[in-house]
Amino acid sequence: MTVDYALQWVDDAETLAAAAAALVDADIVAVDTEFFRETSFYPVPALIQLTAGETVYLVDPQAVEADDGMRRLLSSGPLKLIHACSEDLEVLTLWSGVELSPMVDTQIAESLLGTDTAIGYRRLVQARCGVDIPKEETRSNWLDRPLSGAQLDYAALDVVFLRAIWNQQRESLAELDRLDWLAEECATISGAREAAVPERWYLRHRQLWRLSPRQIEAYRRLAAWREREVRRRDTPRGWLAKDGVLFAVAEAMPKNRYELAEVEGMTPSLVKREGDVLLERVKAAHQCDESELPPAVPVPTTPAFKRRMKALKQVVNDEAQSLGLAPERLANRAEMEALTSAHLTGEALPLPGGWRGMRLAERWRAALAEVEADA
């Protein structure tokens, strides 16, 4: 497959308005971004690629702000195609102030047609279009100006094949009656990003079971502080305080700077810069009323936990095989661990909804009931 395209550089209000006007009546607009994130929490938008066919618009977000026409284009109107979109959506929202909609992620679409849940764009283009895209510019400095000819072509190639790929995917998904599944999965992406709030970051840690309820509360407070601060300071998480260090502080529950300095992984500079704040969070957890502490997390190495996980995995594996999908497309380990923990502690089961719920919810419920009956 060959593609012909013209490049249009966009770095002022006039050419941006013209680009939005040219694209707004299209049925499909392919989108991609380039960005820089090595020294900040938020990605720095470096380039935005848009095309509906013959012309690829390369927008310089460092030179021009999104106008009303571009915001309307991104937030409504044509279907937007994008591949592996999580960071791209963040970049686009930072630049434009709107959420991308309506939208299809071609990586998710491909995962609903087979056993590869995270196929890269280059490999997908090879499989669907028979084209081998050059990868030499992958690590380019996209904030450099002017961009080289090789960089411009690389950026264009990131969007020019998306329509052809989507046409094939849409036909296959329609034959399998899975277009609604795709719409559902794409609709959850923005919600998942919104759910990543500072107060819930601690729940991502896989070893909370090693902590007592009071230690979990300390880690919750420490992680929430770190998440708020990296956003406020716009600095990478690891530059402020790594997860492992905060977890170790919660384990040790230090009462003073001397004890804090003895925590595994703690550095003198971190004690000097943030020691008082860390100790304040630990002290607040020490003083927290017992009734306000989070529940203990079941130990995943116990026989009871393992039996439930095995039963849940078997349901997922059986369903995935019948659908020709990867098990991870149906459910990940964290979901099954959360379900197992809820069942062991008598909490409401966090069963999935939508198409996955129709496939898994009742079978999971029955599998857990069977394990409990056999105990």
Side-chain angles (χ1 to χ4, degrees), residues 310 312-323 325-328 330 336 360 363:
K310 182 178 180 180
L312 295 177
K313 287 179 183 178
Q314 189 61 56
V315 170
V316 172
N317 289 338
D318 290 347
E319 282 295 319
Q321 185 174 13
S322 71
L323 294 170
L325 299 177
E328 307 86 70
L330 282 172
M336 290 184 280
L360 296 175
R363 290 198 61 193

Side-chain angles (χ1 to χ4, degrees), residues 127-372:
R128 292 284 184 181
C129 303
V131 177
D132 188 10
I133 294 178
K135 59 180 180 179
E136 286 76 14
E137 301 300 325
T138 303
R139 297 298 180 184
S140 288
N141 184 348
W142 292 98
L143 291 172
D144 275 349
R145 296 294 183 270
L147 295 177
S148 68
Q151 285 178 300
L152 297 176
D153 281 329
Y154 177 92
L157 290 173
D158 274 350
V159 291
V160 295
F161 294 103
L162 284 173
R163 177 187 283 269
I165 288 170
W166 169 237
N167 286 340
Q168 295 177 49
Q169 291 175 331
R170 179 175 53 193
E171 182 177 346
S172 297
L173 288 166
E175 289 175 358
L176 293 169
D177 198 22
R178 294 180 185 178
L179 283 171
D180 287 344
W181 297 7
L182 176 62
E184 194 179 302
E185 292 296 315
C186 290
T188 65
I189 296 173
S190 294
R193 291 197 304 125
E194 293 167 2
V197 295
E199 287 70 22
R200 295 184 60 80
W201 183 266
Y202 79 105
L203 294 171
R204 297 174 177 233
H205 204 289
R206 296 292 302 279
Q207 296 195 15
L208 286 179
W209 56 272
R210 288 172 45 191
L211 302 181
S212 69
R214 196 167 299 280
Q215 289 171 319
I216 294 175
E217 176 63 14
Y219 181 62
R220 184 190 72 79
R221 291 172 180 266
L222 290 165
W225 161 78
R226 194 270 310 276
E227 290 303 300
R228 286 191 293 269
E229 281 300 296
V230 293
R231 288 163 170 77
R232 185 180 70 82
R233 302 182 195 186
D234 193 18
T235 191
R237 289 186 178 91
W239 286 20
L240 180 57
K242 296 179 180 178
D243 282 328
V245 173
L246 296 181
F247 193 84
V249 172
E251 281 186 303
M253 298 290 282
K255 295 182 175 63
N256 52 56
R257 280 179 169 254
Y258 175 78
E259 292 180 358
L260 182 64
E262 295 298 309
V263 170
E264 183 179 356
M266 184 60 62
T267 62
S269 62
L270 183 55
V271 174
K272 182 179 180 180
R273 287 185 289 107
E274 314 293 350
D276 290 344
V277 176
L278 298 177
L279 289 170
E280 284 174 8
R281 269 56 187 180
V282 173
K283 182 179 179 180
H286 270 299
Q287 296 174 342
C288 191
D289 188 88
E290 198 84 29
S291 63
E292 298 177 351
L293 295 177
V297 176
V299 179
T301 55
T302 62
F305 197 100
K306 288 182 176 180
R307 285 195 298 270
R308 286 163 173 78
M309 282 294 290
K310 182 178 180 180
L312 295 177
K313 287 179 183 178
Q314 189 61 56
V315 170
V316 172
N317 289 338
D318 290 347
E319 282 295 319
Q321 185 174 13
S322 71
L323 294 170
L325 299 177
E328 307 86 70
R329 179 69 273 170
L330 282 172
N332 58 43
R333 184 177 183 86
E335 290 177 286
M336 290 184 280
E337 287 179 344
L339 192 59
T340 296
S341 294
H343 191 252
L344 285 168
T345 56
E347 299 175 10
L349 298 179
L351 293 165
W355 74 271
R356 295 192 306 121
M358 292 178 63
R359 289 284 176 173
L360 296 175
E362 290 308 314
R363 290 198 61 193
W364 266 352
R365 197 189 300 274
L368 289 172
E370 185 176 345
V371 169
E372 190 170 38

